[in-house]
Amino acid sequence: MVLFFDDPMFITSDKTPEVAFCTTTFSWTVSWLEDRELTFEQARAAMILDEMLSDPTAADDPFALEVAALHAEELELTLPEVILRLALRMAERELHRNREPRRADRGDRKFQGGKPCMPTPPNDVSAAAGPI
């Protein structure tokens, strides 16, 4: 599990396509929690949760589940709510992947034209499935 803090405006992962990005000086958004404005600490907790729950061995580890529940509390969510949200994101991505041809580039993590690529705003339902 590795979270990347290479850019002060983004948190990315080597395990999942989810991303956290700074929207204002003190506000962060996470791709799987776009309906919430978060602090940096909450964004970091959301990314840690995403990575933890992406590891199938965590399902059998009571300590890992307890730690995950504590991170979920930081987001004012229960662990089942987090699991449901992440499962829905995975299903949306899979549905999106099956509808459109796969692109060779990973636009969700690359910079184009010197400007960072931002995830699609939540009001654009057609691209709500996230990165492909």
Side-chain angles (χ1 to χ4, degrees):
M1 171 171 81
V2 178
L3 291 178
F4 298 101
F5 298 88
D6 297 336
D7 185 315
M9 304 296 282
F10 292 94
I11 305 171
T12 58
S13 165
D14 67 339
K15 233 180 216 188
T16 74
E18 303 299 343
V19 61
F21 58 95
C22 185
T23 54
T24 66
T25 305
F26 299 106
S27 179
W28 285 74
T29 298
V30 176
S31 54
W32 63 274
L33 288 172
E34 290 180 334
D35 61 330
R36 294 172 179 244
E37 191 173 291
L38 305 172
T39 65
F40 171 77
E41 291 78 15
Q42 289 174 313
R44 184 181 59 211
M47 293 297 292
I48 290 169
L49 260 173
D50 180 38
E51 283 215 338
M52 287 180 73
L53 297 174
S54 294
D55 181 1
T57 59
D60 294 330
D61 183 351
F63 179 72
L65 292 174
E66 190 173 324
V67 171
L70 292 172
H71 285 301
E73 283 181 22
E74 289 183 62
L75 302 170
E76 298 177 4
L77 294 169
T78 64
L79 187 54
E81 288 172 319
V82 168
I83 292 169
L84 179 61
R85 282 178 178 252
L86 289 170
L88 287 172
R89 284 285 293 181
M90 286 175 39
E92 288 170 353
R93 267 196 308 278
E94 190 61 32
L95 180 64
H96 186 69
R97 188 173 313 173
N98 291 334
R99 286 188 179 166
E100 292 183 14
R102 186 172 202 144
R103 294 187 330 212
D105 67 319
R106 294 282 306 198
D108 56 299
R109 294 200 188 162
K110 298 231 185 269
F111 290 87
Q112 299 170 354
K115 296 181 181 177
C117 297
M118 294 296 203
T120 306
N123 61 352
D124 184 356
V125 177
S126 64
I132 57 173

